[in-house]
Amino acid sequence: WFDKKRNLPIVIFNNGVGSMQVPDWQIYKDWAALTAANGMIALTHQSRFGKTENDLNDLLEHLRKHSEELKVDKDNIAVWVCSANTPTGWSAANDPDKDFIKAIAIYYGVTRPKERIVKRKDLEILVVRAGLDSHNINAGLEEFMQNALQADAHVEFINYPEGQHAFDGVD
């Protein structure tokens, strides 16, 4: 099924916190397996506390530099983030100089006010809101969506009214 002559798109399941061993969590393994079953490379990585942005940027540089040997499509990268992992992944995906990142999925993401501006109109964005999440998280996502719509960004919004924070892992 894997065409070894073709480099595949890659989805990075971002660890934007650094202090947790996210790649060892079963849910991250399951998301990666689901991604791989759909014909993409899935990558979970461990970042260091306080150095998550540097670690993600180093990972992106490594993937692009070694794309041929890794069979990675260096111009077709997506980032998946959730919860407190969001700021690091969003910062990279929203960077106009990183147009090789084509998409980002944000599940119940924590965003800071200054990060709620969409800088790239060419980025595909999926936002999933958990209705039972904290007021601050949902208010931030709602402001993010308002800004994305005003920017005419490519954004898809899924509202899960009955969902709690981390619904995909706990329900």
Side-chain angles (χ1 to χ4, degrees):
W1 197 77
F2 174 59
D3 180 356
K4 294 181 182 180
K5 295 178 184 169
R6 192 175 125 238
N7 292 356
L8 295 175
I10 185 167
V11 178
I12 298 170
F13 292 90
N14 184 60
N15 180 347
V17 177
S19 61
M20 299 177 282
Q21 299 299 319
V22 168
D24 294 334
W25 293 7
Q26 187 60 49
I27 192 162
Y28 276 76
K29 293 176 185 178
D30 293 343
W31 289 324
L34 182 60
T35 299
N38 281 280
M40 296 172 277
I41 296 171
L43 187 145
T44 60
H45 73 101
Q46 181 61 40
S47 58
R48 298 167 292 168
F49 182 73
K51 298 183 180 188
T52 58
E53 285 192 34
N54 288 343
D55 289 346
L56 178 57
N57 286 327
D58 287 348
L59 173 63
L60 290 167
E61 183 180 326
H62 179 81
L63 290 171
R64 290 179 51 78
K65 183 177 179 182
H66 299 281
S67 63
E68 286 304 315
E69 65 192 85
L70 296 171
K71 296 298 182 192
V72 171
D73 182 343
K74 69 180 183 177
D75 295 315
N76 202 2
I77 297 174
V79 177
W80 189 99
V81 297
C82 67
S83 192
N85 294 297
T86 301
T88 297
W90 173 244
S91 176
N94 197 33
D95 182 343
D97 292 333
K98 292 185 174 75
D99 61 352
F100 53 87
I101 298 176
K102 302 296 187 199
I104 185 166
I106 302 170
Y107 271 46
Y108 41 84
V110 176
T111 58
R112 295 178 283 239
K114 66 180 182 174
E115 298 165 341
R116 296 178 186 152
I117 304 300
V118 177
K119 298 176 187 171
R120 290 186 51 206
K121 286 191 175 188
D122 62 330
L123 181 67
E124 297 296 328
I125 305 167
L126 169 65
V127 176
V128 180
R129 177 186 177 273
L132 300 178
D133 211 335
S134 77
H135 171 75
N136 289 342
I137 290 175
N138 281 340
L141 285 177
E142 291 157 15
E143 182 181 334
F144 176 91
M145 282 302 301
Q146 182 179 12
N147 291 339
L149 292 171
Q150 288 174 347
D152 239 357
H154 289 248
V155 62
E156 182 175 340
F157 179 72
I158 298 173
N159 186 43
Y160 178 30
E162 298 82 20
Q164 62 182 310
H165 191 83
F167 63 85
D168 47 344
V170 296
D171 291 339

